[in-house]
Amino acid sequence: MATDWNAVSDDDFRQAFARLVEDCCPPELRFMRKQRPTFDEVAVFYHGLAEAGWLAPTWPVEHGGMGLGPAKHMIYVEEWGRLGGPRIPDHGIGLVGPLLIEHGTEEQKAFHLPRILSGEHVWCQGYSEPNAGSDLASLRTAAVRDGDAFVVNGQKIWTTLAHCANWIFVLVRTSRDEKVRQKGITVLLVDMRSPGVRVRPIANLRGETDFCEVFFDDVRVPAENVVGEIDQGWTVAKSVLGHERIFLGAPTRPEIAMERLEKLARARGAFDDPAFLSRYAKLRLDLYDLGSAFERHARILREGGELGADVSMLKIFTTELYQRITEETLALAGEDARLFDDIATGNDRVDAMNLFLDARAPAIFGGSNEIQRNILAKAVLRLPS
Amino acid sequence: MATDWNAVSDDDFRQAFARLVEDCCPPELRFMRKQRPTFDEVAVFYHGLAEAGWLAPTWPVEHGGMGLGPAKHMIYVEEWGRLGGPRIPDHGIGLVGPLLIEHGTEEQKAFHLPRILSGEHVWCQGYSEPNAGSDLASLRTAAVRDGDAFVVNGQKIWTTLAHCANWIFVLVRTSRDEKVRQKGITVLLVDMRSPGVRVRPIANLRGETDFCEVFFDDVRVPAENVVGEIDQGWTVAKSVLGHERIFLGAPTRPEIAMERLEKLARARGAFDDPAFLSRYAKLRLDLYDLGSAFERHARILREGGELGADVSMLKIFTTELYQRITEETLALAGEDARLFDDIATGNDRVDAMNLFLDARAPAIFGGSNEIQRNILAKAVLRLPS
Amino acid sequence: MPQLHFDDGDGTLEMLRDSVAALAAHHPGAASLRARREAGADMDRELWGAMAEAGWTGLMLSEALGGSGLGPREQAVLSEALGRALICEPVAGSAVFLSTLFNGAPDNAEGARLASGLADGSLIVARAWRNGTVQARADGDGFTLSGAVAHVDQAQGATDFLVMGQCEGGPAFFSVPAGISGLGLDLQRSVDGALLGTLRLDGCHVPATGLVIGPDICAPLLERAVAATRLALAAELAGIAAQALQATIDYTTTRIQFGKPIASFQAIQHRLVDMWSDAELAFAAVNNAVEEAEAGEGRAAALAILAAKARAGDAAVSICRRAVHLHGAMGFTDECDIGLFLKRAISLNAMLGQPEELRLAFVNLERAA
Amino acid sequence: MPQLHFDDGDGTLEMLRDSVAALAAHHPGAASLRARREAGADMDRELWGAMAEAGWTGLMLSEALGGSGLGPREQAVLSEALGRALICEPVAGSAVFLSTLFNGAPDNAEGARLASGLADGSLIVARAWRNGTVQARADGDGFTLSGAVAHVDQAQGATDFLVMGQCEGGPAFFSVPAGISGLGLDLQRSVDGALLGTLRLDGCHVPATGLVIGPDICAPLLERAVAATRLALAAELAGIAAQALQATIDYTTTRIQFGKPIASFQAIQHRLVDMWSDAELAFAAVNNAVEEAEAGEGRAAALAILAAKARAGDAAVSICRRAVHLHGAMGFTDECDIGLFLKRAISLNAMLGQPEELRLAFVNLERAA
């Protein structure tokens, strides 16, 4: 009989997670510098979590998940960060699972869910296209019905870790009715080993390969791989965003950056410089107050409420704060700001440039901050068009 | 035979002006706190300049002006500021004169120009309306032809010093053809003592009365008071902006604000605080570099060139810098920032709040900084619509 | 839109909000401010009386002393509402500060008299303890006070002054009746339309019974009073920020230029979103500080209150600045209320530490641990 | 669009701009940078040779020493063009710095040899004088140098090092041939795709003739060289800023979202205008510094150069940051050139003083008067 983790006290839950991480996460995987390790690099942790039944926190128990409500899930995510667990390829757990559990057929669930938990299927997500970034509705990758299959042609981009994945779920255009641009889109599950799928990794500013282009050239996909209704993919895809949107606004990244700034400042004696202290204080209070703001939204979830559009404010603030902290770190670095490699600080190192460059991304991905401001203007401030 | 001031050396010109100001500007009028003194308050200086022939620097000599080119005019304006001459009601000299000299009839010139020089006519400018601020083309004050006169009805607002003026030049709508909204506008000279003209002063944030509303209620204006062609008022009005636009971007106000910040900082010993020094240094360099940028544009004028649309950059930067310096001054003032009255600094005083409040205005008037950015986006960066 | 969020089990908070709305209907804040400024007064005695009657001047005062004995949560909600309504009588600087002092003071008749007068509005007790120094010399039957203190609110209308004097044993608070021999007052105009007094004491004699808070407990009690006052100021500033934002949304939504409401232009929309976001952050900071204050008076509460006052002060001033700008030329006129919000925000932001000072206090406290 | 404005009577400036454009056509900056990075090299020897042939490595070197003897104006225009073209070989830190030193050094054979090799490209003279300390002890027939210096450009490819050592009489510059006994080198990757060396000297012996600049004149000469280098860096940074702006205008004008070029959205337009305005200010600052430098080497020139390097550095980095953002996801890829501009701007901005340090130097110099 599985534990009802929601009924366990928060402290006990935290301790259980901490023990589990001690047990199944090797030290070299904790507090990794790499933002996006590949599946192989973290497989031992992935399997360890799976064996303990802790891999899929929000999935229902009958599907092998922990069935956590938002309150415990928040703690789960917090502890993961606090314990320094590496990021695992999580599109299967975080997106495909919930998608299938809500919209999938029994066959889809029976086939895919166990294979996600076992790590046999590693998923990636194909939403963006070269000409459909902020404007997702204008996507053009097309799926045309041909007997018992769809034939897919087109291109996806910014597909995270596609070069390490073997399955992809894609948004494809199945109808050309241009009047309602967000209609006519369908969610399709594609085995990447199918003929006609090609992946091209793209290096980022940090010199790492987090994302790829994925090309579809007459790829045949069985019709039973449609999730939900045909032409209703927009609604299907949006339905799984849910409360996880709050994590886009979590203070995790600025906290990491702040730890680095403080480390460098201590090494340089900068805390004795009142001018630095003044700038530091501003950033420190921004981070502190971001924590208060995050807590307000998290509490709504914990108390069973739903997130409003206003949660986007956290995403804007945390991503811009992340940038500002890394910029101050480079300013503090003096001539060491020329280094691409980490900066030595006594016996330790500070990855100032790594974080500065990484901080360029979150303000763009997951809906650029300009798009977020547009949404807030309409949905929260109700400003006229 | 009048002096050809353009041919005089810059140094001699400066010295001549300095002597003149010594002679005809009483000490209590120099470095006045008041931004916009009334005609009566500064009449003695006005008449003194007029008698010496220095009142109208850019008017041609035959009309009683000095006939200065842009280079010497720049020096004239600089020296005025350096010598602490008070601002005089200058709409007659700066706008009406050039307007009539370029577009007026011989009768208009013969009647009005001497009365401007003598101070008999004190002018104000009626452009803005309650619903036509940034969007001047939508103005509604209407002039309807009735025999040998126009009958004017409507309202102007933000009319500087209208309560001390006896003539106003207004933009009025003379045609309702909405297709070309900037057409159908005419420049009209109106004697404010005409029946139906009513003036309501408006207090500003500083508690002073710089500007007014002016109401026109069936005001009859002789048809000979039209300047230029009927329905071509937009072109007529714009033609006199000329090189004087550069003065909107002059560093004068931030310089004044900086002098106050430095005075307060000395009184408080703030220059010994590295955190203050760091913030001060940023403002100081902004001001220094603004000087370099202003000089670049001024040189174009001095060398006989014409200003491009890019000069608006100075207006944005100088007005926003003015604000930032006054904000830092209030921050430095500590609890004294609660005072509306000036802050005592030993034997002297600093008008921190006066300048802070005054700094709200220039970013709005003369075309808000948002409008300036719109213009720059189109006219300089050539961005698409 | 931004506001404080608290569990309001018994409806007290809702009642407080309603009562401010009701009072503001009879005494609109902007009108009161203008009238006070016009009159050259430092307070509106009638308004203050109505506020006392509503129970606001004694909200945090213990019931034993004639108050309501409520806590930071109720005070924050009240102060937020006062900020929104632009009701400028100094509730934070007077009622909250004094109540905290009196609650912690040992039993004494003079303290009880002042507390009771504060709660029922019969006395105006002006505070003179900052921006200056007063020496208190023990003499035969009491104390002789000499010195000067600037920026004293309600100094002109005061019936009594609570003056901090430096005794041999440290600072202490003395009750000094207005009008006694040796007292002098200079007045300056404050930016939010009141008068600020510089109180001069030239050998003022106070009887021994006038020692309301002795040097033995003055310092920690003052620290507690400053924290409570800062928290109330933060809530009031957040309220000002929220109302200035709302007024700006309303204005830009109705102001037509180029055939469209100016709030439909993207540059204006993004500016408004940033203002809103700043206000949200201010409310989050105040919310957090109230909760920390309710949880105890330790270091966590001290940090949270410093953060809240800094954040709310910065947010209120900068939101109001942008608000004035977005009101265009109208925002530069005295007849438009938005300028009054800016001025009020500046004044409260400058009280008991501007943001920079508070932020440095925060990091110094945090790093000292 | 933003650029340096100078009177160009004899067309030298135009010629310089054309020659950079011609070279960049054969050696596109971004491609060179990527190749150098890929190769794990610290310079592109072929490119450097072509630059020497074009006369750029000896532009400011006196004609007596084999250079062109041109001034700050010509150097600024060249550096601006190199910045625009993203040609990353270290002209400012190497050619300008060394030329200024050699121009002021007393006649000596070793200095002349290095100068001539700099001008014709036959020698790579790496500079080691900052970010570390080297002690120079006089011995029988020369000097023994010991110490370490970090962030040395061209260290791997150097034929010679010009090392600043602390003698008894103060600092002096020594010529140290690469490969002599006692020299060691550690390499780190720089953000702009080269390698930075940490040069270790462990009792390296240099003959007496290796003393190129003695302690009697080293300090003022170094100050002059630093100023000239900063000015060239400022011009290069301004060029980077201008090109990053132009690339962003081009990208946002062609990138279609929601059926329109994103440069048609007002929020993007205002951002671009602010970037443009920052670039204009940077060019104004550099223009001013060149003119002050041409007018003399006094305090006015010193202030102007500090201001120009601070302004251009800030402008270049912040314009490039915004440029990367406005390139969207594409800006975060390594294959898009805009990220290279950002990285180059960061590197040059960090050389010889970041903006904050320069601004403080400015106000301290100004206030010392």
Side-chain angles (χ1 to χ4, degrees):
Chain A
M1 163 88 213
T3 312
D4 176 3
W5 289 111
N6 290 303
V8 168
S9 83
D10 288 357
D11 275 354
D12 289 349
F13 182 77
R14 281 180 213 273
Q15 283 172 21
F17 199 13
R19 277 193 305 272
L20 178 61
V21 171
E22 284 300 332
D23 285 352
C24 73
C25 188
E28 67 273 17
L29 292 190
R30 291 173 73 172
F31 298 100
M32 282 181 86
R33 175 192 159 125
K34 203 169 182 183
Q35 301 280 344
R36 283 283 190 180
T38 63
F39 186 86
D40 290 347
E41 287 169 322
V42 294
V44 56
F45 185 44
Y46 192 99
H47 294 312
L49 289 172
E51 275 159 38
W54 281 66
L55 180 60
T58 62
W59 293 14
V61 174
E62 69 263 32
H63 293 302
M66 301 174 79
L68 298 188
K72 275 289 186 309
H73 186 216
M74 297 275 313
I75 296 177
Y76 180 96
V77 174
E78 272 170 34
E79 287 303 290
W80 188 304
R82 215 179 50 75
L83 296 164
R87 183 133 185 203
I88 56 174
D90 54 5
H91 288 103
I93 300 297
L95 291 170
V96 179
L99 195 71
L100 295 181
I101 289 163
E102 186 163 347
H103 301 280
T105 63
E106 289 311 312
E107 291 73 18
Q108 287 172 337
K109 285 187 259 193
F111 179 74
H112 286 291
L113 297 181
R115 286 171 175 81
I116 291 171
L117 291 174
S118 73
E120 181 184 341
H121 287 184
V122 179
W123 285 85
C124 61
Q125 172 204 49
Y127 279 16
S128 294
E129 298 182 6
N131 289 303
S134 296
D135 178 20
L136 260 188
S138 69
L139 55 82
R140 287 191 290 206
T141 295
V144 176
R145 186 71 183 234
D146 178 30
D148 59 354
F150 282 91
V151 178
V152 180
N153 279 287
Q155 178 190 359
K156 294 290 173 181
I157 196 167
W158 320 127
T159 310
T160 303
L161 294 184
H163 58 311
C164 311
N166 47 28
W167 278 78
I168 183 170
F169 69 107
V170 284
L171 289 179
V172 292
R173 183 160 294 287
T174 38
S175 161
R176 295 252 159 235
D177 182 354
E178 283 286 334
K179 277 182 208 115
V180 194
R181 293 169 71 235
Q182 298 188 348
K183 292 274 171 72
I185 289 173
T186 298
V187 176
L188 217 50
L189 309 178
V190 182
D191 186 334
M192 294 175 76
R193 291 153 297 192
S194 313
V197 177
R198 190 167 56 84
V199 174
R200 188 181 77 90
I202 309 173
N204 67 25
L205 288 181
R206 287 163 37 242
E208 297 186 353
T209 308
D210 296 347
F211 40 61
C212 303
E213 287 179 292
V214 182
F215 300 89
F216 299 88
D217 186 12
D218 283 336
V219 177
R220 286 188 72 84
V221 180
E224 63 256 33
N225 283 11
V226 167
V227 182
E229 282 183 55
I230 291 177
D231 287 352
Q232 297 300 318
W234 190 258
T235 316
V236 171
K238 274 209 307 195
S239 72
V240 297
L241 285 176
H243 76 270
E244 311 222 351
R245 284 184 301 151
I246 198 174
F247 297 120
L248 286 174
T252 320
R253 289 195 223 220
E255 277 167 7
I256 291 170
M258 181 60 84
E259 191 264 334
R260 302 300 200 283
L261 173 60
E262 288 169 349
K263 188 188 285 182
L264 187 61
R266 277 192 305 272
R268 299 282 163 100
F271 284 119
D272 297 331
D273 169 13
F276 172 77
L277 196 67
S278 165
R279 292 189 293 271
Y280 166 77
K282 197 144 189 350
L283 296 169
R284 178 67 193 93
L285 273 283
D286 281 348
L287 183 57
Y288 179 87
D289 292 339
L290 171 62
S292 300
F294 183 77
E295 173 58 22
R296 274 183 129 198
H297 291 271
R299 183 175 301 175
I300 293 172
L301 282 182
R302 270 195 236 105
E303 294 172 354
E306 298 208 351
L307 292 177
D310 58 346
V311 74
S312 292
M313 166 245 172
L314 296 176
K315 196 268 183 184
I316 296 174
F317 195 78
T318 197
T319 56
E320 293 178 0
L321 177 57
Y322 183 33
Q323 296 187 336
R324 288 188 285 118
I325 296 172
T326 63
E327 288 154 19
E328 184 62 37
T329 310
L330 284 194
L332 177 61
E335 209 139 321
D336 281 345
R338 295 184 67 195
L339 289 173
F340 185 71
D341 289 332
D342 297 351
I343 297 172
T345 55
N347 296 328
D348 207 348
R349 313 187 73 75
V350 168
D351 57 335
M353 189 61 71
N354 179 49
L355 289 182
F356 171 84
L357 295 173
D358 182 62
R360 305 302 110 200
I364 286 293
F365 292 100
S368 77
N369 288 3
E370 287 69 34
I371 296 293
Q372 306 285 352
R373 286 186 170 88
N374 285 349
I375 292 171
L376 288 166
K378 296 287 177 241
V380 177
L381 273 60
R382 312 249 169 235
L383 302 180
S385 332
Chain B
M1 165 85 213
T3 313
D4 176 3
W5 288 110
N6 291 304
V8 168
S9 84
D10 289 355
D11 275 354
D12 288 351
F13 183 77
R14 282 179 213 275
Q15 282 170 24
F17 199 12
R19 277 193 305 274
L20 177 61
V21 172
E22 283 299 333
D23 285 353
C24 73
C25 188
E28 68 273 16
L29 292 190
R30 290 172 74 172
F31 298 100
M32 281 181 85
R33 173 190 160 125
K34 205 168 182 181
Q35 302 279 345
R36 281 287 192 177
T38 63
F39 187 87
D40 289 348
E41 289 169 322
V42 295
V44 56
F45 184 45
Y46 193 99
H47 294 311
L49 290 171
E51 274 160 38
W54 280 64
L55 180 60
T58 62
W59 294 13
V61 175
E62 68 263 34
H63 292 303
M66 301 173 80
L68 298 188
K72 274 289 188 306
H73 186 214
M74 296 275 311
I75 296 177
Y76 180 97
V77 173
E78 271 169 34
E79 288 301 292
W80 188 304
R82 215 180 49 75
L83 297 163
R87 181 128 186 208
I88 56 173
D90 52 7
H91 289 103
I93 300 298
L95 290 171
V96 179
L99 194 71
L100 294 181
I101 289 162
E102 185 162 349
H103 300 280
T105 61
E106 289 311 313
E107 292 73 18
Q108 287 172 337
K109 285 187 257 193
F111 180 72
H112 285 292
L113 296 181
R115 288 173 175 79
I116 292 171
L117 291 174
S118 73
E120 181 184 339
H121 286 182
V122 179
W123 284 85
C124 61
Q125 172 203 47
Y127 279 16
S128 295
E129 298 184 6
N131 291 302
S134 296
D135 177 21
L136 260 188
S138 70
L139 55 81
R140 288 191 291 206
T141 296
V144 176
R145 186 70 183 234
D146 180 29
D148 60 351
F150 282 91
V151 178
V152 180
N153 278 286
Q155 176 190 357
K156 293 290 174 182
I157 196 168
W158 320 127
T159 312
T160 303
L161 293 183
H163 59 310
C164 311
N166 48 28
W167 278 78
I168 183 170
F169 70 107
V170 284
L171 289 179
V172 291
R173 184 159 291 288
T174 38
S175 160
R176 296 250 158 234
D177 184 352
E178 283 288 333
K179 275 182 213 119
V180 194
R181 294 169 70 235
Q182 297 188 349
K183 292 275 170 71
I185 289 172
T186 299
V187 176
L188 216 51
L189 310 177
V190 182
D191 186 336
M192 293 176 77
R193 291 153 297 193
S194 311
V197 177
R198 190 166 56 84
V199 173
R200 188 182 77 89
I202 308 173
N204 67 25
L205 288 181
R206 287 162 39 241
E208 295 186 354
T209 308
D210 294 348
F211 41 57
C212 304
E213 287 179 292
V214 182
F215 300 90
F216 299 87
D217 185 12
D218 283 336
V219 176
R220 286 190 71 86
V221 180
E224 64 256 32
N225 283 11
V226 167
V227 182
E229 279 184 59
I230 290 177
D231 290 348
Q232 297 298 319
W234 191 258
T235 316
V236 172
K238 275 210 304 195
S239 71
V240 298
L241 285 177
H243 76 271
E244 313 223 351
R245 284 183 302 150
I246 197 174
F247 297 120
L248 286 174
T252 320
R253 289 195 223 219
E255 278 167 7
I256 291 170
M258 182 59 85
E259 190 263 335
R260 302 299 201 284
L261 173 61
E262 289 169 347
K263 188 188 283 182
L264 187 62
R266 278 193 302 273
R268 298 282 164 99
F271 283 118
D272 298 330
D273 168 13
F276 172 77
L277 196 68
S278 164
R279 293 189 293 272
Y280 166 77
K282 195 143 190 354
L283 296 170
R284 178 67 193 91
L285 273 283
D286 281 347
L287 183 57
Y288 179 86
D289 292 339
L290 171 63
S292 300
F294 182 78
E295 174 59 22
R296 274 184 131 198
H297 291 271
R299 183 176 300 175
I300 293 172
L301 281 182
R302 269 194 236 105
E303 293 172 354
E306 297 209 353
L307 292 177
D310 58 347
V311 74
S312 292
M313 166 244 171
L314 296 176
K315 196 268 184 186
I316 295 173
F317 195 79
T318 196
T319 57
E320 293 178 0
L321 177 58
Y322 182 33
Q323 295 187 338
R324 288 188 286 120
I325 297 173
T326 64
E327 287 154 20
E328 185 61 38
T329 310
L330 282 195
L332 178 61
E335 207 139 322
D336 282 347
R338 296 185 65 196
L339 289 173
F340 185 73
D341 289 331
D342 296 351
I343 297 172
T345 55
N347 296 327
D348 208 347
R349 315 186 71 75
V350 168
D351 56 337
M353 189 60 69
N354 178 50
L355 289 182
F356 171 84
L357 295 172
D358 183 62
R360 305 303 110 197
I364 286 293
F365 292 100
S368 77
N369 287 4
E370 286 70 34
I371 296 293
Q372 306 284 353
R373 286 185 170 90
N374 286 348
I375 292 171
L376 289 166
K378 296 285 176 246
V380 177
L381 273 61
R382 312 250 171 234
L383 301 180
S385 327
Chain C
M1 297 301 290
Q3 65 164 2
L4 290 175
H5 292 307
F6 294 112
D7 186 48
D8 185 20
D10 61 359
T12 307
L13 304 182
E14 193 56 33
M15 211 187 62
L16 275 169
R17 289 194 172 103
D18 290 346
S19 82
V20 175
L23 188 113
H26 286 95
H27 300 270
S32 295
L33 188 159
R34 289 196 177 91
R36 188 174 73 168
R37 185 179 66 183
E38 189 66 30
D42 67 345
M43 60 179 304
D44 179 336
R45 196 59 208 251
E46 187 195 330
L47 177 53
W48 186 256
M51 291 165 73
E53 199 167 327
W56 303 344
T57 58
L59 195 81
M60 295 188 85
L61 194 67
S62 69
E63 292 181 81
L65 289 169
S68 307
L70 294 171
R73 173 181 310 223
E74 291 78 13
Q75 183 61 51
V77 167
L78 172 64
S79 290
E80 175 198 359
L82 294 173
R84 283 180 198 270
L86 201 64
I87 293 177
C88 296
E89 301 304 314
V91 166
S94 169
V96 174
F97 181 81
L98 291 172
S99 295
T100 314
L101 282 186
F102 294 145
N103 285 347
D107 252 358
N108 74 81
E110 182 62 8
R113 184 184 74 85
L114 296 178
S116 151
L118 169 69
D120 67 16
S122 59
L123 299 180
I124 305 297
V125 186
R127 293 75 49 209
W129 61 280
R130 201 174 141 87
N131 301 297
T133 322
V134 173
Q135 297 299 331
R137 194 166 42 76
D139 54 23
D141 57 347
F143 300 87
T144 303
L145 306 185
S146 290
V149 183
H151 297 331
V152 178
D153 284 302
Q154 298 182 313
Q156 192 186 43
T159 58
D160 299 84
F161 292 94
L162 190 70
V163 177
M164 191 169 81
Q166 303 295 327
C167 308
E168 258 181 41
F173 276 103
F174 298 90
S175 173
V176 179
I180 68 165
S181 161
L183 268 191
L185 191 62
D186 296 326
L187 295 167
Q188 285 178 292
R189 291 180 296 172
S190 79
V191 66
D192 51 355
L195 295 176
L196 287 173
T198 297
L199 188 69
R200 285 179 283 96
L201 299 99
D202 185 9
C204 291
H205 179 75
V206 174
T209 54
L211 177 66
V212 176
I213 296 170
D216 51 332
I217 52 159
C218 183
L221 208 46
L222 179 60
E223 188 177 336
R224 198 188 296 171
V226 166
T229 308
R230 279 179 176 153
L231 182 50
L233 288 169
E236 193 170 347
L237 283 158
I240 289 169
Q243 186 54 36
L245 170 64
Q246 188 59 56
T248 309
I249 291 173
D250 295 345
Y251 180 80
T252 54
T253 302
T254 49
R255 169 76 176 165
I256 310 290
Q257 292 282 275
F258 306 104
K260 287 162 52 171
I262 61 174
S264 68
F265 291 102
Q266 195 187 30
I268 307 289
Q269 292 194 343
H270 284 200
R271 191 94 65 103
L272 288 167
V273 166
D274 287 342
M275 291 162 66
W276 166 81
S277 172
D278 289 347
E280 282 285 333
L281 218 56
F283 277 100
V286 176
N287 239 99
N288 173 62
V290 169
E291 285 161 18
E292 292 287 5
E294 287 182 339
E297 289 192 337
R299 187 164 153 277
L303 289 172
I305 290 171
L306 289 167
K309 170 70 165 60
R311 174 68 54 183
D314 257 347
V317 171
S318 83
I319 288 170
C320 286
R321 269 201 264 111
R322 288 172 281 176
V324 163
H325 182 78
L326 290 176
H327 276 72
M330 188 56 72
F332 193 59
T333 65
D334 184 57
E335 55 199 59
C336 180
D337 289 350
I338 198 68
L340 301 180
F341 280 91
L342 173 60
K343 290 173 170 178
R344 179 66 176 163
I346 289 171
S347 182
L348 297 187
N349 180 52
M351 283 178 71
L352 297 187
Q354 290 212 27
E356 171 79 0
E357 181 185 337
L358 302 172
R359 283 192 297 263
L360 291 175
F362 180 105
V363 295
N364 286 330
L365 177 57
E366 188 177 54
R367 293 177 50 73
Chain D
M1 296 303 289
Q3 67 165 0
L4 290 175
H5 291 306
F6 294 112
D7 187 47
D8 184 22
D10 61 0
T12 307
L13 304 182
E14 193 56 31
M15 213 187 60
L16 275 169
R17 289 195 173 101
D18 289 347
S19 80
V20 174
L23 188 111
H26 286 94
H27 300 270
S32 295
L33 189 158
R34 289 196 176 91
R36 187 175 71 169
R37 187 179 63 182
E38 192 65 31
D42 69 342
M43 61 180 305
D44 179 335
R45 197 60 208 252
E46 186 194 333
L47 177 54
W48 186 256
M51 290 166 74
E53 198 167 326
W56 303 344
T57 57
L59 194 83
M60 293 187 87
L61 193 68
S62 67
E63 292 180 81
L65 289 168
S68 307
L70 294 172
R73 171 182 311 224
E74 291 78 14
Q75 182 60 52
V77 166
L78 172 64
S79 291
E80 175 198 358
L82 294 173
R84 282 180 198 269
L86 200 65
I87 293 177
C88 296
E89 302 303 315
V91 166
S94 169
V96 174
F97 180 81
L98 291 173
S99 295
T100 314
L101 283 186
F102 293 145
N103 285 349
D107 252 358
N108 72 84
E110 181 61 9
R113 183 184 75 84
L114 296 176
S116 149
L118 168 70
D120 67 15
S122 59
L123 299 179
I124 305 297
V125 186
R127 294 74 50 211
W129 61 279
R130 203 173 139 86
N131 301 297
T133 321
V134 173
Q135 297 299 332
R137 193 167 42 78
D139 53 24
D141 59 345
F143 300 87
T144 303
L145 306 184
S146 291
V149 183
H151 297 330
V152 178
D153 285 302
Q154 298 181 313
Q156 191 185 42
T159 58
D160 298 83
F161 292 94
L162 191 69
V163 177
M164 190 169 82
Q166 302 296 325
C167 306
E168 258 182 43
F173 276 102
F174 298 89
S175 174
V176 179
I180 69 166
S181 159
L183 265 191
L185 190 60
D186 297 325
L187 294 167
Q188 285 177 293
R189 291 180 294 172
S190 79
V191 66
D192 51 354
L195 294 176
L196 288 174
T198 296
L199 188 69
R200 284 178 285 97
L201 300 98
D202 184 12
C204 291
H205 179 74
V206 174
T209 52
L211 177 67
V212 177
I213 296 169
D216 52 330
I217 51 158
C218 182
L221 207 47
L222 179 60
E223 187 177 338
R224 200 188 294 171
V226 167
T229 308
R230 281 181 175 152
L231 183 49
L233 288 170
E236 192 169 347
L237 284 159
I240 289 170
Q243 186 55 36
L245 169 66
Q246 188 60 56
T248 309
I249 290 173
D250 294 346
Y251 180 80
T252 55
T253 301
T254 49
R255 169 77 177 163
I256 309 289
Q257 291 283 275
F258 306 103
K260 289 161 52 172
I262 62 174
S264 68
F265 292 102
Q266 194 187 30
I268 307 291
Q269 292 194 343
H270 284 200
R271 193 94 66 100
L272 289 166
V273 166
D274 288 342
M275 290 161 69
W276 166 81
S277 172
D278 289 346
E280 283 284 332
L281 218 55
F283 278 99
V286 176
N287 239 100
N288 174 61
V290 169
E291 285 161 17
E292 291 288 4
E294 288 181 339
E297 291 192 335
R299 188 166 152 277
L303 288 173
I305 290 171
L306 290 167
K309 170 71 166 60
R311 173 69 53 185
D314 256 346
V317 171
S318 85
I319 287 169
C320 288
R321 269 202 266 113
R322 286 172 282 177
V324 164
H325 182 78
L326 290 176
H327 277 72
M330 190 56 74
F332 192 60
T333 65
D334 183 58
E335 55 200 58
C336 180
D337 289 350
I338 198 68
L340 301 181
F341 280 91
L342 172 61
K343 290 171 170 179
R344 179 66 175 162
I346 289 171
S347 183
L348 297 187
N349 181 51
M351 283 179 69
L352 298 187
Q354 290 212 27
E356 171 79 0
E357 180 186 339
L358 302 171
R359 284 192 298 263
L360 291 175
F362 180 105
V363 294
N364 285 329
L365 177 59
E366 188 177 58
R367 292 176 51 73

